[in-house]
Amino acid sequence: MMYPEYRPRRLRRNENLRALVRETVLSPAQLVYPLFVMPGKKQREEISSMPGVFRLSVDQLAREAQECRKLGVNSIILFGLPEKKDRVGSGAHATDGIIQRAIKELKNKAPELTVITDVCLCEYTSHGHCGIIHEHQVDNDATLEVLARTALSHARAGADIVAPSDMMDGRVGEIRAILDENNFDQVAIMSYAVKYASAFYGPFRDAADCAPQEGDRRGYQMDPANAREALREATLDVEEGADILMVKPALAYLDIIRMLRDEFDHPIAAYQVSGEYAMLKAAAAQGWLDEERVMAESLLSIRRAGADIILTYFAKDMARLLAA
């Protein structure tokens, strides 16, 4: 096809034509909204490094859930700030823990909402690492038992999907086994299969108060330089029983999302993380970028790369824009 016989601009002349041939479509049903749950009552604290995102007490969750549902955002993921922390993250699997109470509240007030829970220890350990520390190192195998107990406690509280984000070897298999043994075979696992040791997590660590007190997480999260390793990580999680594979962060790793999409038939999720959100919000606040357009463009790029599910702090704003 050669110009002038073929003119690509013919199908760009107006919005109806552009919509008719649009290849990538974004829907609120594909978005997951992260929620931070804090102790206390009637608490709603804006996170300074994440404008428009709040820490909420359990009693404030119902209003947030109802707003999400009205906008067509049917799924949320929970992150907890416990009343106290210790070296072994015991609050993560406490029967009356902050996340366990939050799940019950949401299932009571908004039973149609899909509740996903982050399964990790970093928010519950006094040292801020994602596992049990032994001789100044995160002990992989000792951590697996605690992660499995945490996932089971979330399932018992009513979680629909558990999402291990710790990057310990073997944790998906350990979690699948304990869920199945306790008759929670219908609870799905969304594995943070490919989670990089990224600098884009900074605002989240402020929000969840989970920065490591010493060292860093490069000993268990992936090296940003590696791509082939992502396929090995994802393959292991598939073999261990993961139902959904996640890439985190999203925008700096669109190539990895595409690799997983091409390799696996499983649903692929991607997390547009706190730093990605914060930098777009900051530039928009300065008038350097059009917030609505860069929000939509960034989320479309993640979908175009191959993500079926997007976890994003823009979920409600994007849903409003789509409705408009």
Side-chain angles (χ1 to χ4, degrees), residues 287-306:
W288 298 335
L289 293 174
D290 180 319
E291 182 174 333
E292 283 193 351
R293 292 187 64 187
V294 296
M295 170 184 69
E297 189 174 340
S298 65
L299 292 172
L300 278 170
S301 76
I302 297 167
R303 279 281 292 147
R304 193 180 64 247

Side-chain angles (χ1 to χ4, degrees), residues 33 37 47 49 59-60 80 83 98 100 103 115 122 149-150 158 164 168 181 185 212 226 233 251 264 285 298 314 322:
Y33 189 52
V37 191
I47 300 161
S49 55
D59 60 306
Q60 299 294 302
E83 285 84 355
I98 189 77
Q100 290 77 1
I103 298 166
V115 176
C122 62
R149 289 175 64 190
T150 300
M168 298 299 118
E181 288 165 8
D185 56 294
N226 291 358
E233 283 280 6
L251 291 176
F264 300 100
S298 65
F314 283 121
L322 289 168

